[in-house]
Each structure stands twice: as C-alpha cells, then as structure tokens.
Amino acid sequence: MNSALHPSIELLAELVRRPSVTPDDAGCQELLAERLEVLGFACEQMNFGEVTNLWARRGHSGPVFCFAGHTDVVPPGPLEDWLTAPFEPVIHEGNMFGRGTADMKSGLAAMIVALEEFLLEHPDHPGSITLLITSDEEGRARDGTLKVIEVLQNRDEQIDWCVLGEPSSQSVLGDTVRIGRRGSLSGMLSVRGIQGHVAYPQLADNPIRRFAPILSELHEIRWDEGNEFFPPTSFQVVDLKAGVGFPNVTPGELSARFNFRYSTEWDHEKLMARVEDIFNAYEIDYELDWHLSGEPFLTREGQLTEAVVKAVTEYCGNGPELSTGGGTSDGRFISPSGADVVELGPVNASIHKVNEHVRLDDVVALTSMYRRTLELLLL
Ligand SMILES: [Zn+2]
C-alpha cells in the first residue's frame, strides 16, 4: 500500500487482509481495540460460542452515542471468478477491491479514523462514545449484537443514538440513509393427510388439496397499504414439498415454508394470529412453527436523524432519501433497547458479490460524515 493513502483507507486495507468469514473475526477486532485503547476507550471482549464481539466505551455520562457494525464477511465464492485475490486489497482506478470492502469494513475504518480526528480536537466532549462490533452479522446472528445488547440491558447500560455503518447508499455515497427496516417472520408448515392410490381418492386424504385454497387466500390478501415509511407487507412462499415421486400415489404429507416482510402496521403476534385464523377456518390437520428474525423498527425525526442528514448534506450537496428498504440488519436488535438507529455507509451495489469494491473517495468522505455527525450530536 502507498504510504500517502488516507488513514481510513490504510486501515480498511489492514482489515481486508484478515479473512474474517462468519463467524471468524480473524483478528479484526483486536486491531480496532488497539486503536481505541490509545484513544482512551475501555474495550471489553464479549465472546459467545464461536462469535467474537467488542464493546468499547469512552465516558461515563449520557447521552450515549454508539457506532455499530460487523467485522465478518460472507465467503468469497469461486476464486476463479474474482479478478483479484479476495483477501488481498487491491487499488485500481480509484476503487479498492476485496471481500468486505463495502460490507462493511470501510464503515469500520471510517468510524475509527473519525473518532481519532474528533477526539484529537475535542478530548473533553460531553456524553459517552461507544462501539458495538460483532463477528456474526452475516450468519445466524444469535451470538452477536443480540447477546451484547442483553448484557448491556442487564447492567442498565443504555444506548441513545446509534449509527450503523452498513452500506446504505445505492448509487452514490449518501443518496440513502436507512431509518428503519421491515420485520421478517417465517412460518414452517406441515400438513398431515393420508397417503393413497391415485385411483381411490375416497380412501386417501390429499394434503395438497387441503392446503391449496389456504395458499391462494394468503396470496390474495392485501395485508396493508404500507405507510409513509414502509412499503406494503409482503407474503412469499419460499418452499413447498409433497409427493412420493410416483405417478399413482397421492402424498400423505406436505411441508411448506413462507416469509412475511412486514411494515410497522403489524407486529409478529398479530400477524401469526391472523394467519392461524385463516388456517383454522378450513378443515386441515396442520402444524405451524414460527421463526421471528426481527420486528420492524423505525427511527422517527429527532436529533440523530437530523444530525446524520445534515452531515450527509454538507458533504454531498444533496439530502439523502430516508428509507426502510433492504433486508434485515443488526439494527433490529439495537432498536428495541430504546436506541434511535440510523444506517449510513458506502454504496451497496457490489456487496456479497465477486469483485466487491468501494470507491476510495467515498471512504474518505464517509469518515468526514461520521466525524461531523459526532460534532453535531455531542458538542
Ligand atoms: Zn453488512
């Protein structure tokens, strides 16, 4: 690496060199903690199972600001599809290539350097600054942010404002800031029937026939119209299995899996009850297990949103779109603790793909936006 590079780009390169495929942190958090300790942060490792988490704090009073993120990355996929080695950062035409450059090691590097710049000028700022970093965002996410928040709640440590460094931007840096996410609820269904000869349907009970009208009803329902911040709730079937593989045998069992991405017009209990009411209106022998990935959350107007929007507008010239789109993020675990959560990070066009990359100028600008956000909130 060229020694004249901006410090956040140098730190990004150091992070990309550590092949931290979920849940392996590969030493990334140690590197971050070393930099934070120099700045006066108390760094706590909170490990659960194979997952490495870092909670760092500087200051004892409120309000409590938090930078949150993850060091883990998704696997690179077929190496022959990459133009460069995924864990060897390569700079080409103003971009850095490598797994994790966009999701989300540039966010982490920008946070650390923003803190270094901010604390050099304002070592005695009011309030506290914290970081919540996990190595299990891309995986099952059970031993990461969720567990750290549990520990913090048990000892009455509260986060007031959280900036998550996930790649929120769509085509240019700062065009989109996420102020919430949809909820995600999955249903695992099994329907019991009686297997039989296709020629003697009166002696069998075909579970496909039992489930078909319910499935069609679930598809036809308009769950809600969405609202100012959320698109309408969507129901999708992701898996459907039945049949024994013989043309003259009707099946005795059916299994299906479906998912709701839902707005703040619902909570998971209301949604589950509505679906079960529909099933119970039919004659069907079924079992339905539910898995909640996260309730929807929304951070309304307030100091945090205002500060982030102002910081972005100052550096981009345009105000960002405030959105709740995309998949889930660890914001779903932080928001229920009472914190306001906003996501601001680089362009997400190449995340999880081969040849993932980030614009170097964006990493530098993101560092400034984070530093400015700190100034607006804490000074
Ligand atoms: Zn991410």
Side-chain angles (χ1 to χ4, degrees):
M1 287 286 123
N2 182 333
S3 60
L5 289 171
H6 188 275
S8 45
I9 293 168
E10 292 210 25
L11 178 55
L12 170 58
E14 290 284 303
L15 290 168
V16 172
R17 274 192 202 102
R18 290 164 168 76
S20 52
V21 175
T22 312
D24 185 4
D25 169 68
C28 291
Q29 290 176 27
E30 205 180 305
L31 177 65
L32 303 180
E34 274 169 25
R35 303 273 286 252
L36 291 167
E37 274 165 3
V38 173
L39 297 173
F41 281 82
C43 293
E44 253 181 278
Q45 237 189 46
M46 290 191 195
N47 296 353
F48 301 99
E50 294 174 297
V51 177
T52 312
N53 302 296
L54 171 67
W55 171 247
R57 179 167 187 146
R58 188 183 191 275
H60 301 284
S61 57
V64 178
F65 177 89
C66 180
F67 275 130
H70 61 90
T71 50
D72 59 319
V73 298
V74 295
L79 295 184
E80 60 273 22
D81 292 352
W82 283 75
L83 298 170
T84 60
F87 298 109
E88 188 47 53
V90 171
I91 291 179
H92 180 65
E93 293 182 345
N95 291 285
M96 185 186 287
F97 287 80
R99 174 55 87 225
T101 45
D103 187 6
M104 57 155 278
K105 289 179 170 176
S106 46
L108 297 174
M111 288 169 186
I112 299 293
V113 175
L115 285 169
E116 289 170 346
E117 292 176 359
F118 175 79
L119 290 169
L120 189 67
E121 279 187 57
H122 313 286
D124 302 316
H125 64 85
S128 300
I129 302 175
T130 62
L131 289 95
L132 196 176
I133 313 291
T134 181
S135 73
D136 181 28
E137 196 274 342
E138 304 287 8
R140 297 188 318 155
R142 283 182 202 157
D143 290 325
T145 304
L146 176 68
K147 286 272 172 69
V148 178
I149 289 288
E150 273 173 28
V151 172
L152 297 178
Q153 288 196 303
N154 284 337
R155 58 190 199 201
D156 282 327
E157 252 184 292
Q158 168 72 38
I159 296 167
D160 297 299
W161 300 311
C162 176
V163 171
L164 197 55
E166 290 285 2
S168 63
S169 304
Q170 310 215 47
S171 36
V172 291
L173 176 69
D175 62 1
T176 309
V177 163
R178 295 211 190 285
I179 52 163
R181 295 273 187 164
R182 288 183 291 178
S184 173
L185 176 69
S186 294
M188 279 79 69
L189 171 75
S190 58
V191 179
R192 281 172 300 267
I194 298 169
Q195 185 180 314
H197 193 299
V198 73
Y200 302 92
Q202 70 278 17
L203 301 178
D205 182 3
N206 189 338
I208 300 176
R209 194 172 157 179
R210 297 270 177 198
F211 182 49
I214 300 176
L215 182 58
S216 133
E217 187 171 338
L218 290 169
H219 270 131
E220 269 157 35
I221 289 174
R222 186 135 178 104
W223 298 89
D224 58 51
E225 304 298 321
N227 55 34
E228 193 186 350
F229 293 103
F230 286 87
T233 293
S234 112
F235 165 85
Q236 296 297 322
V237 182
V238 294
D239 194 58
L240 185 60
K241 283 192 192 77
V244 297
F246 258 69
N248 58 0
V249 181
T250 57
E253 261 171 75
L254 171 149
S255 68
R257 221 184 151 101
F258 51 82
N259 178 266
F260 285 96
R261 289 299 156 113
Y262 62 102
S263 74
T264 42
E265 300 294 305
W266 294 89
D267 63 45
H268 73 281
E269 274 159 358
K270 264 169 50 187
L271 206 45
M272 282 159 54
R274 176 77 200 277
V275 170
E276 283 164 13
D277 280 350
I278 292 167
F279 273 86
N280 294 336
Y282 289 83
E283 246 177 75
I284 182 168
D285 182 6
Y286 76 98
E287 215 169 280
L288 188 50
D289 290 321
W290 293 98
H291 174 71
L292 175 69
S293 300
E295 291 277 24
F297 71 90
L298 178 66
T299 298
R300 293 185 178 279
E301 322 78 79
Q303 279 171 284
L304 176 65
T305 316
E306 236 168 69
V308 172
V309 167
K310 189 157 194 281
V312 170
T313 312
E314 282 177 18
Y315 286 93
C316 299
N318 293 314
E321 184 198 329
L322 303 179
S323 144
T324 58
T328 60
S329 77
D330 274 3
R332 67 193 147 136
F333 303 129
I334 302 169
S335 172
S337 74
D340 280 350
V341 180
V342 166
E343 301 179 29
L344 168 63
V347 174
N348 56 30
S350 68
I351 63 171
H352 295 208
K353 297 183 178 172
V354 300
N355 304 316
E356 181 178 349
H357 59 277
V358 69
R359 276 189 68 215
L360 300 183
D361 288 350
D362 287 358
V363 184
V364 177
L366 186 62
T367 308
S368 302
M369 290 177 195
Y370 286 162
R371 193 200 59 228
R372 188 75 186 115
T373 301
L374 285 166
E375 290 169 0
L376 290 166
L377 285 169
L378 291 181
L379 298 184

